[in-house]
Amino acid sequence: MDWKLHELRGFVAVVETGTFTDAALELGVSQAAISRGIASLERRAGGRLLRRLPRGCEPTALGQRFLPQARRVVAELAKLDDLLRAGHTSLRLGYAWSAVGKHTTPLLRSWAKAHPDIELELVRHNSATGGLAEGMCDAAIVRTPLDPQRFDVVIVGLERRVAVFASDDAEWSRRRSLRMKEIAGRPVIVDPRTGTTTSDLWAEGKGPRTLHTPGLDNWLDAIAAGKGVGMTSEATAVHHPRQGVSYRPVSDGPRIPVWLAWWHDEPPSGITALADALTGLYQGG
């Protein structure tokens, strides 16, 4: 079959962003071009790849089977593009929900000055490895442990936990901070793939009832709707302010370690300097 790269890129972007509009913005093309590309792919695939929803779309069963191969092709061809950039090196830094919170902009600005020969590019990918295992990036910021047989990791900082709840919550909206016990008394919405909130944070039998969500936007929407509360890194509050959602510090919540990770057998150019830069930013507050 005559597969076209721009169609595969469009399909992957729609799955990652959740809408045709956001995919078009991410790729810098028109929404009509995205729609035509998806329709062309579906004709070749012999079935629907995406299920249209009132507020976006999601992969069908066929789309779920098609997605890993499409991602792999797009990632491999992106590597070819990188190799052909004469005299220019790129370091792609992946993350799942939030990069490095308030340190993100200072990192990008200071890196550009200190390392003009290595472009630091942020890549958001909602997986446990922030896109590292999927070939979407060269290194990743993660907040959950990774397999030490596959990846090298270094802790670059620690972040506070924050509680997340609907802004019109009569009991919590006036509070300046919350405690772990109070959070356990509510249904807690979690993303089991990338989330840092697990039952291990509480004593056995003392944890909350949990509800699962497939990703960040769904998580925020459910919390805003009052279906439950959440707990996350303070970086999420920085990157994702949302109308109808409030964040408060968890006074007795254990800090969240922030790891920089990369493939054990393929350390990217500039990784040591990146680790040093991130550690310095976190140590500086």
Side-chain angles (χ1 to χ4, degrees):
M1 295 184 183
D2 184 19
W3 300 106
K4 293 181 172 59
L5 178 58
H6 72 275
E7 295 175 354
L8 295 173
R9 280 178 172 156
F11 170 69
V12 171
V14 170
V15 174
E16 297 296 338
T17 63
T19 70
F20 281 58
T21 301
D22 289 342
L25 290 172
E26 181 174 299
L27 296 179
V29 300
S30 69
Q31 185 173 338
I34 294 290
S35 297
R36 287 194 299 270
I38 297 298
S40 178
L41 278 180
E42 289 179 332
R43 286 194 296 271
R44 291 190 185 89
R48 300 297 293 273
L49 297 174
L50 294 169
R51 181 180 299 108
R52 277 65 169 178
L53 303 173
R55 298 186 62 182
C57 57
E58 63 182 14
T60 62
L62 177 60
Q64 290 283 11
R65 296 195 300 272
F66 186 80
L67 180 60
Q69 296 296 335
R71 278 179 174 152
R72 188 170 295 112
V73 170
V74 170
E76 288 301 319
L77 288 174
K79 290 180 181 179
L80 286 178
D81 289 340
D82 291 341
L83 288 174
L84 294 175
R85 291 179 184 174
H88 186 77
T89 301
S90 174
L91 176 54
R92 298 170 300 164
L93 181 62
Y95 64 95
W97 280 24
S98 307
V100 287
K102 64 182 181 181
H103 305 302
T104 303
T105 298
L107 171 66
L108 293 173
R109 289 183 173 180
S110 62
W111 183 270
K113 292 179 180 179
H115 306 279
D117 57 328
I118 304 177
E119 180 183 2
L120 184 60
E121 176 187 355
L122 296 182
V123 179
R124 180 179 164 190
H125 184 76
N126 193 46
S127 75
T129 66
L132 190 56
E134 295 81 5
M136 306 296 293
C137 56
D138 308 300
I141 292 294
V142 296
R143 294 173 173 85
T144 54
L146 299 184
D147 182 357
Q149 300 299 317
R150 303 175 68 197
F151 305 105
D152 283 339
V153 298
V154 60
I155 292 180
V156 295
L158 298 172
E159 294 174 339
R160 295 183 303 168
R161 293 180 191 269
V162 296
V164 194
F165 54 92
S167 298
D168 60 358
D169 187 298
E171 183 180 354
W172 285 7
S173 59
R174 297 181 181 180
R175 298 286 300 278
R176 297 182 64 180
S177 65
L178 293 157
R179 298 179 64 83
M180 294 290 291
K181 183 178 180 180
E182 295 174 289
I183 295 168
R186 301 282 193 96
V188 174
I189 303 172
V190 301
D191 179 349
R193 294 178 298 171
T194 61
T196 56
T197 303
T198 68
S199 59
D200 295 337
L201 296 173
W202 290 268
E204 186 175 355
K206 301 294 185 179
R209 178 171 66 91
T210 58
L211 307 173
H212 290 183
T213 187
L216 173 64
D217 289 331
N218 304 86
W219 182 77
L220 287 169
D221 287 342
I223 291 172
K227 296 180 180 179
V229 301
M231 189 164 61
T232 186
S233 158
E234 61 183 303
T236 305
V238 173
H239 282 277
H240 303 287
R242 175 71 68 91
Q243 185 176 3
V245 171
S246 295
Y247 297 89
R248 296 290 188 278
V250 181
S251 59
D252 58 345
R255 295 296 179 105
I256 298 173
V258 181
W259 284 285
L260 176 65
W262 61 94
W263 282 101
H264 178 73
D265 58 353
E266 195 176 355
S269 177
I271 192 64
T272 300
L274 180 58
D276 291 342
L278 286 167
T279 301
L281 286 168
Y282 274 98
Q283 288 179 345

